[in-house]
Short mmCIF file of all heavy atoms in Angstrom, two decimals:
data_model
loop_
_atom_site.label_atom_id
_atom_site.label_comp_id
_atom_site.label_asym_id
_atom_site.label_seq_id
_atom_site.Cartn_x
_atom_site.Cartn_y
_atom_site.Cartn_z
N ALA A 2 -0.78 0.02 1.52
CA ALA A 2 -0.63 -0.23 0.09
C ALA A 2 -1.34 -1.58 -0.30
O ALA A 2 -1.44 -2.45 0.43
CB ALA A 2 0.94 -0.28 -0.32
N PRO A 3 -2.07 -1.55 -1.52
CA PRO A 3 -2.65 -2.68 -1.95
C PRO A 3 -1.62 -3.87 -2.17
O PRO A 3 -0.41 -3.60 -2.45
CB PRO A 3 -3.25 -2.37 -3.28
CG PRO A 3 -2.61 -1.15 -3.84
CD PRO A 3 -1.99 -0.47 -2.43
N ALA A 4 -2.11 -5.17 -1.91
CA ALA A 4 -1.20 -6.32 -2.22
C ALA A 4 -0.74 -6.39 -3.60
O ALA A 4 -1.41 -6.06 -4.57
CB ALA A 4 -2.00 -7.59 -1.86
N ARG A 5 0.53 -6.62 -3.66
CA ARG A 5 1.24 -6.81 -5.05
C ARG A 5 0.69 -8.03 -5.82
O ARG A 5 0.53 -9.10 -5.12
CB ARG A 5 2.68 -6.79 -4.83
CG ARG A 5 3.49 -6.87 -6.29
CD ARG A 5 4.95 -6.74 -5.99
NE ARG A 5 5.60 -6.52 -7.24
CZ ARG A 5 5.97 -7.53 -8.10
NH1 ARG A 5 5.73 -8.84 -7.66
NH2 ARG A 5 6.64 -7.32 -9.14
N LYS A 6 0.23 -7.85 -6.98
CA LYS A 6 -0.25 -8.96 -7.77
C LYS A 6 0.87 -9.35 -8.74
O LYS A 6 1.49 -8.52 -9.44
CB LYS A 6 -1.46 -8.48 -8.64
CG LYS A 6 -2.66 -8.07 -7.73
CD LYS A 6 -3.19 -9.27 -7.10
CE LYS A 6 -4.57 -8.76 -6.35
NZ LYS A 6 -5.12 -9.82 -5.65
N LEU A 7 1.17 -10.59 -8.69
CA LEU A 7 2.29 -11.22 -9.54
C LEU A 7 1.82 -11.83 -10.85
O LEU A 7 0.51 -12.37 -10.76
CB LEU A 7 3.09 -12.35 -8.75
CG LEU A 7 3.64 -11.83 -7.38
CD1 LEU A 7 4.12 -13.14 -6.69
CD2 LEU A 7 4.76 -10.93 -7.65
N LYS A 8 2.56 -11.78 -11.82
CA LYS A 8 2.08 -12.27 -13.15
C LYS A 8 2.35 -13.76 -13.00
O LYS A 8 3.34 -14.28 -12.12
CB LYS A 8 2.87 -11.76 -14.32
CG LYS A 8 2.55 -10.32 -14.58
CD LYS A 8 3.48 -9.82 -15.81
CE LYS A 8 3.17 -8.34 -15.96
NZ LYS A 8 4.00 -7.84 -17.04
N LEU A 9 1.60 -14.69 -13.76
CA LEU A 9 1.86 -16.13 -13.67
C LEU A 9 3.29 -16.45 -14.04
O LEU A 9 3.97 -17.30 -13.34
CB LEU A 9 0.91 -16.81 -14.61
CG LEU A 9 0.96 -18.35 -14.60
CD1 LEU A 9 0.76 -18.96 -13.27
CD2 LEU A 9 0.02 -18.99 -15.66
N ARG A 10 3.88 -15.84 -14.95
CA ARG A 10 5.19 -16.10 -15.25
C ARG A 10 6.21 -15.88 -14.20
O ARG A 10 7.14 -16.71 -13.87
CB ARG A 10 5.69 -15.24 -16.48
CG ARG A 10 7.18 -15.19 -16.90
CD ARG A 10 7.43 -14.29 -18.01
NE ARG A 10 6.86 -12.97 -17.98
CZ ARG A 10 7.34 -11.93 -17.11
NH1 ARG A 10 8.38 -12.14 -16.52
NH2 ARG A 10 6.70 -10.85 -17.19
N GLU A 11 5.91 -14.79 -13.35
CA GLU A 11 6.77 -14.55 -12.13
C GLU A 11 6.69 -15.65 -11.15
O GLU A 11 7.64 -16.11 -10.49
CB GLU A 11 6.39 -13.23 -11.48
CG GLU A 11 6.65 -11.97 -12.44
CD GLU A 11 6.12 -10.72 -11.92
OE1 GLU A 11 4.91 -10.64 -11.52
OE2 GLU A 11 6.90 -9.60 -11.93
N VAL A 12 5.43 -16.07 -10.92
CA VAL A 12 5.26 -17.04 -9.94
C VAL A 12 5.87 -18.51 -10.33
O VAL A 12 6.52 -19.02 -9.62
CB VAL A 12 3.55 -17.35 -9.75
CG1 VAL A 12 3.33 -18.52 -8.85
CG2 VAL A 12 3.06 -16.07 -9.14
N LEU A 13 5.76 -18.80 -11.63
CA LEU A 13 6.36 -20.04 -12.18
C LEU A 13 7.83 -20.02 -11.98
O LEU A 13 8.44 -21.03 -11.66
CB LEU A 13 6.01 -20.13 -13.66
CG LEU A 13 4.52 -20.39 -13.99
CD1 LEU A 13 4.29 -20.43 -15.52
CD2 LEU A 13 3.90 -21.65 -13.30
N GLU A 14 8.43 -18.88 -12.15
CA GLU A 14 9.95 -18.72 -12.02
C GLU A 14 10.22 -18.86 -10.59
O GLU A 14 11.15 -19.62 -10.25
CB GLU A 14 10.43 -17.27 -12.47
CG GLU A 14 10.35 -17.20 -14.01
CD GLU A 14 10.76 -15.81 -14.39
OE1 GLU A 14 11.19 -14.94 -13.61
OE2 GLU A 14 10.66 -15.55 -15.61
N GLU A 15 9.45 -18.36 -9.65
CA GLU A 15 9.69 -18.30 -8.16
C GLU A 15 9.61 -19.79 -7.63
O GLU A 15 10.51 -20.20 -6.93
CB GLU A 15 8.81 -17.45 -7.44
CG GLU A 15 9.12 -17.49 -5.97
CD GLU A 15 8.43 -16.42 -5.20
OE1 GLU A 15 8.07 -15.33 -5.63
OE2 GLU A 15 8.17 -16.61 -3.95
N ILE A 16 8.55 -20.47 -8.04
CA ILE A 16 8.39 -21.79 -7.53
C ILE A 16 9.04 -22.91 -8.33
O ILE A 16 9.08 -24.01 -7.86
CB ILE A 16 6.79 -22.16 -7.18
CG1 ILE A 16 6.11 -22.24 -8.62
CG2 ILE A 16 6.21 -21.08 -6.32
CD1 ILE A 16 4.64 -22.59 -8.47
N GLY A 17 9.59 -22.54 -9.50
CA GLY A 17 10.35 -23.53 -10.24
C GLY A 17 9.54 -24.51 -10.90
O GLY A 17 10.11 -25.69 -10.93
N VAL A 18 8.40 -24.31 -11.37
CA VAL A 18 7.66 -25.32 -12.16
C VAL A 18 7.14 -24.75 -13.52
O VAL A 18 7.25 -23.62 -13.70
CB VAL A 18 6.39 -25.81 -11.36
CG1 VAL A 18 6.75 -26.37 -10.11
CG2 VAL A 18 5.43 -24.70 -11.16
N SER A 19 6.91 -25.72 -14.35
CA SER A 19 6.44 -25.31 -15.76
C SER A 19 4.88 -24.88 -15.63
O SER A 19 4.25 -25.22 -14.68
CB SER A 19 6.51 -26.51 -16.69
OG SER A 19 5.66 -27.55 -16.26
N ARG A 20 4.53 -24.34 -16.65
CA ARG A 20 3.03 -23.92 -16.67
C ARG A 20 2.12 -25.12 -16.63
O ARG A 20 1.19 -25.06 -15.85
CB ARG A 20 2.87 -23.08 -18.06
CG ARG A 20 1.31 -22.55 -18.16
CD ARG A 20 1.27 -21.77 -19.45
NE ARG A 20 2.17 -20.57 -19.48
CZ ARG A 20 1.76 -19.30 -19.14
NH1 ARG A 20 0.49 -19.17 -18.83
NH2 ARG A 20 2.58 -18.34 -19.15
N ALA A 21 2.51 -26.15 -17.32
CA ALA A 21 1.69 -27.38 -17.36
C ALA A 21 1.54 -27.94 -15.86
O ALA A 21 0.63 -28.33 -15.36
CB ALA A 21 2.24 -28.38 -18.23
N SER A 22 2.82 -27.94 -15.19
CA SER A 22 2.77 -28.51 -13.86
C SER A 22 1.92 -27.62 -12.92
O SER A 22 1.21 -28.01 -11.99
CB SER A 22 4.21 -28.44 -13.25
OG SER A 22 4.94 -29.37 -13.88
N PHE A 23 1.94 -26.29 -13.06
CA PHE A 23 1.14 -25.33 -12.30
C PHE A 23 -0.42 -25.71 -12.48
O PHE A 23 -1.04 -25.72 -11.59
CB PHE A 23 1.45 -23.96 -12.60
CG PHE A 23 0.64 -23.00 -11.80
CD1 PHE A 23 0.98 -22.60 -10.54
CD2 PHE A 23 -0.54 -22.43 -12.37
CE1 PHE A 23 0.35 -21.65 -9.86
CE2 PHE A 23 -1.34 -21.57 -11.62
CZ PHE A 23 -0.84 -21.12 -10.30
N TYR A 24 -0.76 -25.86 -13.70
CA TYR A 24 -2.17 -26.16 -14.01
C TYR A 24 -2.59 -27.55 -13.36
O TYR A 24 -3.78 -27.76 -13.02
CB TYR A 24 -2.54 -26.07 -15.49
CG TYR A 24 -2.65 -24.64 -15.94
CD1 TYR A 24 -1.79 -24.03 -16.78
CD2 TYR A 24 -3.72 -23.81 -15.52
CE1 TYR A 24 -1.77 -22.71 -17.16
CE2 TYR A 24 -3.75 -22.51 -15.91
CZ TYR A 24 -2.90 -21.98 -16.76
OH TYR A 24 -2.84 -20.62 -17.08
N ARG A 25 -1.74 -28.52 -13.38
CA ARG A 25 -1.97 -29.74 -12.74
C ARG A 25 -2.18 -29.57 -11.30
O ARG A 25 -3.02 -30.15 -10.57
CB ARG A 25 -0.89 -30.94 -13.08
CG ARG A 25 -0.98 -31.37 -14.47
CD ARG A 25 -0.04 -32.72 -14.56
NE ARG A 25 1.29 -32.34 -14.32
CZ ARG A 25 2.20 -32.01 -15.37
NH1 ARG A 25 1.80 -31.85 -16.57
NH2 ARG A 25 3.40 -31.70 -15.06
N MET A 26 -1.23 -28.75 -10.71
CA MET A 26 -1.44 -28.43 -9.30
C MET A 26 -2.76 -27.82 -8.98
O MET A 26 -3.37 -28.13 -7.94
CB MET A 26 -0.24 -27.55 -8.79
CG MET A 26 1.16 -28.27 -8.73
SD MET A 26 2.49 -27.03 -8.69
CE MET A 26 2.11 -26.16 -7.24
N ARG A 27 -3.10 -26.86 -9.75
CA ARG A 27 -4.50 -26.21 -9.63
C ARG A 27 -5.55 -27.16 -9.65
O ARG A 27 -6.47 -27.19 -8.88
CB ARG A 27 -4.63 -25.25 -10.74
CG ARG A 27 -4.13 -23.86 -10.46
CD ARG A 27 -4.64 -22.72 -11.26
NE ARG A 27 -6.06 -22.63 -11.16
CZ ARG A 27 -6.87 -22.46 -12.30
NH1 ARG A 27 -6.36 -22.40 -13.55
NH2 ARG A 27 -8.15 -22.36 -12.13
N ALA A 28 -5.47 -28.10 -10.69
CA ALA A 28 -6.54 -29.19 -10.74
C ALA A 28 -6.59 -30.02 -9.58
O ALA A 28 -7.78 -30.51 -9.16
CB ALA A 28 -6.26 -30.01 -12.07
N ARG A 29 -5.55 -30.22 -8.84
CA ARG A 29 -5.52 -30.97 -7.65
C ARG A 29 -5.86 -30.23 -6.41
O ARG A 29 -5.81 -30.66 -5.28
CB ARG A 29 -4.23 -31.71 -7.45
CG ARG A 29 -4.01 -32.79 -8.49
CD ARG A 29 -2.73 -33.69 -8.22
NE ARG A 29 -1.62 -32.77 -8.05
CZ ARG A 29 -0.68 -32.70 -8.93
NH1 ARG A 29 -0.60 -33.53 -10.05
NH2 ARG A 29 0.49 -32.06 -8.73
N GLY A 30 -5.96 -28.84 -6.56
CA GLY A 30 -6.22 -27.93 -5.49
C GLY A 30 -4.97 -27.58 -4.67
O GLY A 30 -5.03 -27.36 -3.52
N GLN A 31 -3.73 -27.91 -5.24
CA GLN A 31 -2.53 -27.67 -4.50
C GLN A 31 -1.66 -26.37 -4.84
O GLN A 31 -0.61 -26.29 -4.49
CB GLN A 31 -1.56 -28.78 -4.81
CG GLN A 31 -2.26 -30.08 -4.28
CD GLN A 31 -1.49 -31.38 -4.62
OE1 GLN A 31 -0.68 -31.37 -5.73
NE2 GLN A 31 -1.58 -32.45 -4.05
N ALA A 32 -2.24 -25.57 -5.64
CA ALA A 32 -1.68 -24.27 -6.16
C ALA A 32 -2.21 -23.10 -5.36
O ALA A 32 -3.21 -23.12 -4.68
CB ALA A 32 -1.96 -24.07 -7.67
N PRO A 33 -1.41 -22.02 -5.29
CA PRO A 33 -1.88 -20.82 -4.61
C PRO A 33 -3.10 -20.35 -5.42
O PRO A 33 -3.41 -20.54 -6.45
CB PRO A 33 -0.73 -19.79 -4.91
CG PRO A 33 0.31 -20.40 -5.73
CD PRO A 33 -0.11 -21.85 -6.01
N ARG A 34 -3.98 -19.51 -4.55
CA ARG A 34 -5.16 -18.96 -5.10
C ARG A 34 -4.89 -17.86 -6.17
O ARG A 34 -3.86 -17.09 -6.16
CB ARG A 34 -5.91 -18.27 -3.87
CG ARG A 34 -7.29 -17.75 -4.32
CD ARG A 34 -8.06 -17.39 -3.06
NE ARG A 34 -7.31 -16.35 -2.20
CZ ARG A 34 -7.52 -15.94 -1.15
NH1 ARG A 34 -8.60 -16.49 -0.48
NH2 ARG A 34 -6.78 -15.01 -0.55
N ILE A 35 -5.68 -17.93 -7.20
CA ILE A 35 -5.49 -16.95 -8.38
C ILE A 35 -6.50 -16.06 -8.46
O ILE A 35 -7.62 -16.28 -7.96
CB ILE A 35 -5.34 -17.82 -9.63
CG1 ILE A 35 -6.58 -18.55 -10.06
CG2 ILE A 35 -4.05 -18.71 -9.63
CD1 ILE A 35 -6.54 -19.19 -11.39
N THR A 36 -6.36 -14.99 -9.18
CA THR A 36 -7.28 -13.97 -9.49
C THR A 36 -7.27 -13.87 -11.04
O THR A 36 -6.25 -13.63 -11.70
CB THR A 36 -7.03 -12.58 -8.89
OG1 THR A 36 -7.00 -12.78 -7.53
CG2 THR A 36 -8.11 -11.56 -9.33
N TYR A 37 -8.47 -13.98 -11.65
CA TYR A 37 -8.55 -13.71 -13.05
C TYR A 37 -8.92 -12.15 -13.27
O TYR A 37 -9.82 -11.64 -12.79
CB TYR A 37 -9.69 -14.48 -13.66
CG TYR A 37 -9.42 -15.91 -13.87
CD1 TYR A 37 -9.90 -16.83 -13.02
CD2 TYR A 37 -8.58 -16.38 -14.96
CE1 TYR A 37 -9.63 -18.23 -13.13
CE2 TYR A 37 -8.20 -17.68 -15.08
CZ TYR A 37 -8.78 -18.65 -14.23
OH TYR A 37 -8.42 -19.94 -14.38
N LEU A 38 -8.19 -11.59 -14.25
CA LEU A 38 -8.49 -10.18 -14.70
C LEU A 38 -9.57 -10.24 -15.68
O LEU A 38 -9.80 -11.21 -16.31
CB LEU A 38 -7.12 -9.49 -15.26
CG LEU A 38 -6.04 -9.46 -14.24
CD1 LEU A 38 -4.82 -8.79 -14.96
CD2 LEU A 38 -6.35 -8.56 -13.00
N PRO A 39 -10.22 -9.10 -15.92
CA PRO A 39 -11.35 -9.12 -16.94
C PRO A 39 -10.83 -9.56 -18.31
O PRO A 39 -11.64 -10.03 -19.07
CB PRO A 39 -11.77 -7.61 -16.99
CG PRO A 39 -11.35 -7.05 -15.66
CD PRO A 39 -10.15 -7.87 -15.33
N ASN A 40 -9.54 -9.38 -18.60
CA ASN A 40 -9.09 -9.81 -19.99
C ASN A 40 -8.56 -11.17 -19.96
O ASN A 40 -8.11 -11.89 -20.91
CB ASN A 40 -7.84 -8.95 -20.45
CG ASN A 40 -6.71 -8.99 -19.41
OD1 ASN A 40 -6.78 -9.64 -18.51
ND2 ASN A 40 -5.72 -8.09 -19.77
N GLY A 41 -8.84 -12.02 -18.87
CA GLY A 41 -8.53 -13.42 -18.75
C GLY A 41 -7.22 -13.78 -18.30
O GLY A 41 -6.83 -14.95 -18.10
N LEU A 42 -6.26 -12.75 -18.14
CA LEU A 42 -5.05 -12.99 -17.51
C LEU A 42 -5.06 -13.41 -16.03
O LEU A 42 -6.00 -13.08 -15.36
CB LEU A 42 -4.09 -11.84 -17.65
CG LEU A 42 -3.87 -11.43 -19.10
CD1 LEU A 42 -2.92 -10.18 -19.17
CD2 LEU A 42 -3.05 -12.52 -19.86
N ILE A 43 -4.12 -14.19 -15.53
CA ILE A 43 -4.14 -14.68 -14.22
C ILE A 43 -3.18 -13.81 -13.49
O ILE A 43 -2.02 -13.46 -13.84
CB ILE A 43 -3.67 -16.08 -14.15
CG1 ILE A 43 -4.72 -16.91 -14.73
CG2 ILE A 43 -3.47 -16.49 -12.68
CD1 ILE A 43 -4.41 -18.41 -14.87
N ARG A 44 -3.41 -13.47 -12.11
CA ARG A 44 -2.69 -12.82 -11.19
C ARG A 44 -2.70 -13.48 -9.89
O ARG A 44 -3.80 -14.07 -9.60
CB ARG A 44 -2.94 -11.27 -10.98
CG ARG A 44 -2.79 -10.38 -12.16
CD ARG A 44 -1.34 -10.29 -12.58
NE ARG A 44 -1.19 -9.39 -13.66
CZ ARG A 44 -1.05 -9.79 -14.98
NH1 ARG A 44 -1.12 -11.05 -15.28
NH2 ARG A 44 -0.92 -8.87 -15.93
N ILE A 45 -1.64 -13.53 -9.20
CA ILE A 45 -1.52 -14.21 -7.89
C ILE A 45 -0.91 -13.13 -6.80
O ILE A 45 0.04 -12.44 -7.14
CB ILE A 45 -0.72 -15.42 -7.82
CG1 ILE A 45 -1.34 -16.44 -8.82
CG2 ILE A 45 -0.56 -15.94 -6.49
CD1 ILE A 45 -0.45 -17.61 -9.19
N SER A 46 -1.68 -12.86 -5.79
CA SER A 46 -1.20 -11.87 -4.80
C SER A 46 0.05 -12.39 -3.98
O SER A 46 0.11 -13.56 -3.91
CB SER A 46 -2.39 -11.33 -3.80
OG SER A 46 -2.48 -12.46 -2.94
#
């Protein structure tokens, strides 16, 4: 089966951080790898 892709909201709930904190983590290279969908939404496997 293909890897399940999680919505950003689901990931934020699981790791317990705000959206702003997640984007700060991404800027520092400390966030999980993301995938952009063609419509601009973010998914994380």
Side-chain angles (χ1 to χ4, degrees):
R5 183 168 188 276
K6 299 288 187 182
L7 304 170
K8 295 179 181 179
L9 181 57
R10 176 182 38 81
E11 295 171 314
V12 173
L13 296 175
E14 289 174 10
E15 181 172 333
I16 65 176
V18 300
S19 68
R20 184 178 296 265
S22 293
F23 181 82
Y24 283 111
R25 282 193 300 270
M26 290 167 53
R27 269 193 64 223
R29 292 189 303 255
Q31 299 173 334
R34 188 171 52 192
I35 64 170
T36 301
Y37 285 104
L38 298 180
N40 61 2
L42 295 177
I43 292 175
R44 294 292 183 265
I45 299 169
S46 75

